[in-house]
Amino acid sequence: MFNQGLSLDQAPPISIPFRFFLSAPFFGVLISLVFLIFPFDEVSNQYTHFAVGVVHLFTLGILTMIIFGAMQQMMPVLAGAIIKKPQVFANIVHSCLVIGTLGLSFSFILELKFLLYIGVVFLSISFLTFFIVSIKLLFQVRFTTSTVKAMRLFSLAGIITFIFGFYLAVCHINLNLGEHYFAFINIHILFGFFGFAFLLIMGVSFQVIPMFYVALDFPKFIQHKFPVLIFILLFISFLFFYFDINFLILKILFVLLICFFTYFALKSLNNRKRPVFDVTLWYWKFSLISLFISMIIWLFDIFDTNYILAIIFAFGFLYSLLQGMVYKIIPFLSWFHLNSKGYFSIPTIREFIDERYIRIHFFLHILSIIFFVIAYFQNFFIYFASIIFLISNILFFINSMIAVKKYINISKTNPMDFSSFK
């Protein structure tokens, strides 16, 4: 499955992706607390400063955090793009991403302008460090697969998303929003979700779904054409927004492409060559179904506000899929690194985290999303949604930490000591 094979020499230290993955649930906890503390009408209204802060707690603190952690593992292994001095690189990207996310998000939530300066500076360091290195390495790769090509487009979309975000932040700092302010907001959102997030998820799924789930390969046309088409549509969208042209035709094209991808992804998962039960399949399938539902809501503008669309797309699609991936990646990396070091008495990949706890987390996550949606109609239910989402994120951290601790405990023992795994 991997174009250059799995090699421990290519992979970064295991602590690098782990620190990113373990940081994400803390931002989920912060999102829960914001919904609990501040008025729901304010937090759920896309035009308020509370909503801007919460959105960035998710997009930067959860989405970007997990993506940056996963990419530092996938670039060397899937693409052969090896990051020099990975510890230094990870320290800069991670620490600046944490500080920058907190600064930017709470500058809006608490209306403290000095935090916006802090957020912009540290996020700029994190994003520019990550994407300059990523773009350089990915475009030097000679043997390209559909996943590598999608990674390249993701990296370009990511730097463009950052540039628009930086421009918008400067507008707020200078208190000068400009004539095309809302056009830049729309394209920043579109590049962020469909370029930065969806392009990477699409590209990685081309290899991850067949590898982890022994599932059918995606059709070649989808693998090689769809990421490029999405990227082209993103650039055309900028012109439509900037010149205030009706966006409906492009919206239909986006929805068609994404729904076709969703169909083939579900088809691949439902026709596995080895249909063994795996609880992480629930995350993938629920995620893809949420993606389809969110596209229908977006296409037909079913609700008066974008609150429900945001919940289903962000929590239902993105966060569900990211959680399922983390539950696969952490045990796999733990097993892979221990096995490569010569350990014989180690858990299987599925034994690093008890599946019962993953199931509990899955149902809590689904329940929180249901209550978040219901809260739109009966605001009181936001308290149930927030508390369940809080517990869900704590359990996500605990489950991930269990696997990490197992790895740490075994790695401290003698590889030839068969009593190391208890």
Side-chain angles (χ1 to χ4, degrees):
M1 284 296 165
F2 296 111
N3 57 300
Q4 306 219 10
L6 290 172
S7 169
L8 189 61
D9 294 332
Q10 290 177 257
I14 196 170
S15 62
I16 289 176
F18 281 1
R19 82 178 70 169
F20 285 84
F21 296 157
L22 293 174
S23 298
F26 286 101
F27 288 93
V29 169
L30 289 176
I31 291 172
S32 304
L33 295 176
V34 172
F35 271 108
L36 276 172
I37 295 170
F38 297 97
F40 176 73
D41 289 341
E42 294 290 326
V43 180
S44 62
N45 185 339
Q46 67 195 72
Y47 300 107
T48 67
H49 54 90
F50 292 108
V52 175
V54 170
V55 165
H56 286 90
L57 280 176
F58 176 80
T59 55
L60 298 173
I62 294 177
L63 177 64
T64 303
M65 188 68 68
I66 294 177
I67 285 178
F68 278 8
M71 278 295 291
Q72 289 174 77
Q73 178 68 37
M74 290 188 294
M75 282 197 300
V77 177
L78 290 179
I82 302 172
I83 301 171
K84 295 180 180 178
K85 298 181 179 180
Q87 286 285 14
V88 176
F89 178 82
N91 287 340
I92 294 172
V93 172
H94 180 264
S95 59
C96 289
L97 181 58
V98 170
I99 297 170
T101 299
L102 293 173
L104 179 72
S105 299
F106 283 99
S107 71
F108 287 101
I109 294 171
L110 303 178
E111 293 190 283
L112 297 173
K113 191 172 181 179
F114 79 93
L115 290 178
L116 185 57
Y117 289 95
I118 295 173
V120 169
V121 169
F122 282 95
L123 286 174
S124 297
I125 295 171
S126 180
F127 274 77
L128 289 175
T129 300
F130 181 85
F131 282 115
I132 288 173
V133 171
S134 298
I135 291 171
K136 178 183 177 182
L137 292 176
L138 288 170
F139 280 88
Q140 288 177 345
V141 174
R142 294 182 180 178
F143 186 85
T144 58
T145 63
S146 58
T147 297
V148 173
K149 293 175 183 176
M151 284 182 176
R152 288 175 173 176
L153 296 176
F154 146 81
S155 63
L156 293 175
I159 196 71
I160 292 170
T161 303
F162 163 74
I163 291 170
F164 283 121
F166 181 84
Y167 169 80
L168 292 169
V170 171
C171 287
H172 280 276
I173 289 173
N174 295 331
L175 300 178
N176 181 15
L177 301 185
E179 180 183 355
H180 298 288
Y181 174 75
F182 288 105
F184 284 112
I185 285 181
N186 288 329
I187 200 63
H188 173 64
I189 293 171
L190 210 62
F191 261 94
F193 284 129
F194 288 167
F196 175 73
F198 182 72
L199 275 179
L200 181 64
I201 288 170
M202 180 191 288
V204 170
S205 68
F206 295 152
Q207 283 195 302
V208 165
I209 289 179
M211 181 189 74
F212 279 144
Y213 301 106
V214 196
L216 298 174
D217 285 330
F218 285 78
K220 296 298 181 184
F221 177 78
I222 288 181
Q223 292 191 45
H224 295 288
K225 301 299 182 183
F226 271 36
V228 177
L229 291 173
I230 292 286
F231 195 73
I232 292 172
L233 285 178
L234 287 171
F235 268 97
I236 298 174
S237 298
F238 172 72
L239 298 176
F240 273 57
F241 283 127
Y242 191 83
F243 293 105
D244 197 23
I245 303 172
N246 192 313
F247 185 67
L248 180 60
I249 294 176
L250 290 186
K251 182 188 280 193
I252 293 172
L253 292 175
F254 272 117
V255 170
L256 286 175
L257 288 173
I258 292 170
C259 287
F260 268 116
F261 164 79
T262 304
Y263 167 77
F264 283 106
L266 285 170
K267 181 181 178 181
S268 177
L269 291 171
N270 288 329
N271 294 276
R272 303 190 310 282
K273 299 174 185 177
R274 191 179 64 188
V276 179
F277 173 78
D278 189 328
V279 67
T280 60
L281 276 168
W282 292 356
Y283 287 89
W284 271 92
K285 290 182 179 181
F286 178 76
S287 169
L288 292 167
I289 292 169
S290 297
L291 175 60
F292 177 80
I293 293 172
S294 64
M295 289 300 99
I296 299 303
I297 293 173
W298 184 51
L299 178 61
F300 294 104
D301 292 321
I302 293 176
F303 298 100
D304 293 335
T305 72
N306 287 328
Y307 167 76
I308 292 180
L309 173 61
I311 292 296
I312 295 176
F313 186 84
F315 293 169
F317 165 52
L318 291 173
Y319 203 16
S320 300
L321 189 144
L322 292 171
Q323 289 169 345
M325 284 296 298
V326 168
Y327 279 142
K328 268 296 186 183
I329 294 172
I330 289 181
F332 174 75
L333 290 181
S334 300
W335 175 88
F336 170 59
H337 279 256
L338 291 171
N339 185 66
S340 299
K341 291 178 180 179
Y343 286 89
F344 290 96
S345 184
I346 57 176
T348 63
I349 293 174
R350 296 181 65 169
E351 290 173 339
F352 272 94
I353 307 175
D354 192 324
E355 286 193 348
R356 292 175 298 175
Y357 300 136
I358 299 179
R359 292 186 192 190
I360 293 171
H361 174 222
F362 175 78
F363 288 119
L364 285 173
H365 178 63
I366 301 301
L367 194 59
S368 71
I369 293 172
I370 292 172
F371 277 118
F372 272 122
V373 172
I374 294 174
Y376 173 75
F377 304 98
Q378 293 292 332
N379 293 175
F380 176 77
F381 284 97
I382 194 62
Y383 297 107
F384 292 98
S386 303
I387 293 170
I388 296 170
F389 193 66
L390 174 70
I391 297 170
S392 170
N393 278 278
I394 292 173
L395 186 56
F396 182 34
F397 174 79
I398 292 172
N399 286 344
S400 301
M401 196 64 206
I402 287 171
V404 172
K405 287 189 71 175
K406 281 186 179 180
Y407 168 82
I408 293 172
N409 291 337
I410 296 172
S411 65
K412 291 178 180 178
T413 64
N414 185 337
M416 303 307 294
D417 182 2
F418 289 88
S419 65
S420 61
F421 172 54
K422 298 180 181 179

